[in-house]
Amino acid sequence: MVDEVPMPLISSFDPWRSGLCTCPSKLTFNPYTGCDHQCLYCYATSYIPNFKQIHPKKDCLTLLQREAIKLNGETISMCNSSDPYPKMETSEGLTRRCLKILAGCNCKIQIITKSNIVTRDDDLLCRLPATVALTITTDNEFIAKILEPNAPTPNQRIRTAQDLQKAGIPVSIRIDPLLPYINDQPQKLIKTLADIGIKHITCSTYKAKPDSWGRLCQALPKEMEQLKNLYFVEGEKVGGSTLLPIAYRYKLLKGIRDTALVQGMQFGVCREALHGLNTAVCDGSWLMPIRSN
């Protein structure tokens, strides 16, 4: 009987080299499988079975110690298919233990999260070459509760951004995904973010997949009915997703970009085939400080 070889924990980000992606070369790592935010627009539910049933990766710490020792200055993005700070992290502490392992290796850390639990680890992150990309989809508490029923509120996330920056950890904000008629007017949010010192925002429009489209139609039937033609008659199919028409995406994202520039912020788009709108590296990793870890 041949022993099963475990899948590597650390892997290449965007290994398919999608033409839509403008991120710099980096690696990705997810301590957990699944997510408990239960966002209606989530794309990961389309390819990860039982995504709501979150659990730690098997033998995570042992495997990470083995793989991390081989790192040579790469950026590790945590996480791109889940959130590194699910509710169980407060008791499990898995992400924190992973950060302690990575802190002893030659790498840089990019945290991608919606959770305010990340501030617990500011003592580690402030000593590393690290950034946090915090998703704030809208500053409308009512809409946020519909779209992201189990995630922290927008106000909690804004306070999280403030707290991280006070601890010396640079923060970028993802206003993502944008849905026309629902959260496509983030000017007030951008002004709030500029006032607390945020230097970079990244935006992306909703990419429709059958399962997430169904969830959104059930929760917001009137708004999604308005969007049906934009997506499925005028829109374009890219891979397994349906996007808004490119002219519509350009107009929407350029308007947000112009607002950000007026506020003295840098701007990037995520997987939009609109690279020319970027004023800085799209994922906010340009904010990462140079520190010896």
Side-chain angles (χ1 to χ4, degrees):
M1 183 176 178
V2 179
D3 291 338
E4 184 179 346
V5 178
M7 292 289 289
L9 284 179
I10 301 173
S11 59
S12 296
F13 176 77
D14 193 35
W16 305 278
R17 300 179 186 274
S18 166
L20 294 179
C21 183
T22 57
C23 282
S25 176
K26 57 186 173 183
L27 303 173
T28 186
F29 161 56
N30 300 274
Y32 294 91
T33 296
C35 182
D36 54 13
H37 295 321
Q38 297 191 18
C39 303
L40 302 188
Y41 51 73
C42 180
Y43 61 86
T45 57
S46 68
Y47 65 89
I48 299 178
N50 303 314
F51 192 67
K52 294 179 183 179
Q53 297 175 15
I54 187 165
H55 57 86
K57 290 283 182 72
K58 184 179 179 182
D59 300 324
C60 181
L61 296 173
T62 301
L63 293 174
L64 182 62
Q65 285 178 320
R66 187 182 305 163
E67 295 177 28
I69 199 73
K70 302 173 185 176
L71 293 171
N72 188 28
E74 297 93 341
T75 294
I76 307 291
S77 180
M78 297 171 59
C79 305
N80 299 101
S81 293
S82 64
D83 194 301
Y85 292 98
K87 290 181 177 65
M88 72 163 56
E89 173 62 18
T90 57
S91 58
E92 193 78 18
L94 177 61
T95 292
R96 182 171 178 85
R97 286 180 284 167
C98 289
L99 285 174
K100 287 181 177 180
I101 291 172
L102 292 171
C105 300
N106 182 17
C107 66
K108 300 181 280 289
I109 305 293
Q110 182 183 42
I111 301 290
I112 303 173
T113 185
K114 288 186 178 80
S115 177
N116 52 355
I117 301 172
V118 63
T119 57
R120 180 205 62 191
D121 293 336
D122 59 8
D123 62 319
L124 292 172
L125 295 171
C126 72
R127 301 198 303 266
L128 299 172
T131 63
V132 173
L134 190 67
T135 299
I136 305 177
T137 311
T138 176
D139 56 358
N140 184 308
E141 302 273 335
F142 176 75
I143 293 297
K145 189 63 178 175
I146 294 172
L147 295 177
E148 305 159 339
N150 287 353
T153 68
N155 282 337
Q156 287 175 315
R157 284 180 254 176
I158 290 169
R159 288 196 297 272
T160 295
Q162 288 179 295
D163 291 343
L164 289 169
Q165 292 194 127
K166 286 178 183 176
I169 302 156
V171 178
S172 62
I173 299 295
R174 295 184 64 91
I175 304 177
D176 169 28
L178 294 163
L179 291 110
Y181 313 123
I182 297 169
N183 70 326
D184 62 345
Q185 299 294 322
Q187 289 78 9
K188 177 173 165 285
L189 172 58
I190 292 171
K191 175 66 165 60
T192 298
L193 296 172
D195 288 345
I196 66 170
I198 297 297
K199 301 299 183 187
H200 179 102
I201 61 171
T202 298
C203 287
S204 177
T205 59
Y206 167 64
K207 279 79 172 168
K209 288 181 175 289
D211 61 335
S212 62
W213 181 268
R215 292 191 295 265
L216 287 163
C217 285
Q218 188 172 14
L220 296 162
K222 184 188 301 184
E223 292 83 355
M224 299 309 290
E225 182 64 29
Q226 287 180 282
L227 286 176
K228 189 182 292 185
N229 279 352
L230 264 178
Y231 272 94
F232 300 110
V233 177
E234 302 172 40
E236 57 180 303
K237 193 84 170 175
V238 180
S241 302
T242 304
L243 279 63
L244 290 163
I246 193 164
Y248 192 107
R249 301 200 316 267
Y250 178 83
K251 182 178 179 181
L252 171 59
L253 292 164
K254 184 179 183 302
I256 297 173
R257 172 188 185 269
D258 292 347
T259 300
L261 294 182
V262 167
Q263 295 294 336
M265 306 164 83
Q266 300 297 325
F267 179 82
V269 297
C270 182
R271 295 179 180 265
E272 295 289 350
L274 295 169
H275 306 175
L277 290 177
N278 293 352
T279 67
V281 176
C282 64
D283 63 355
S285 57
W286 63 275
L287 292 164
M288 193 172 294
I290 299 173
R291 291 178 177 137
S292 56
N293 54 352

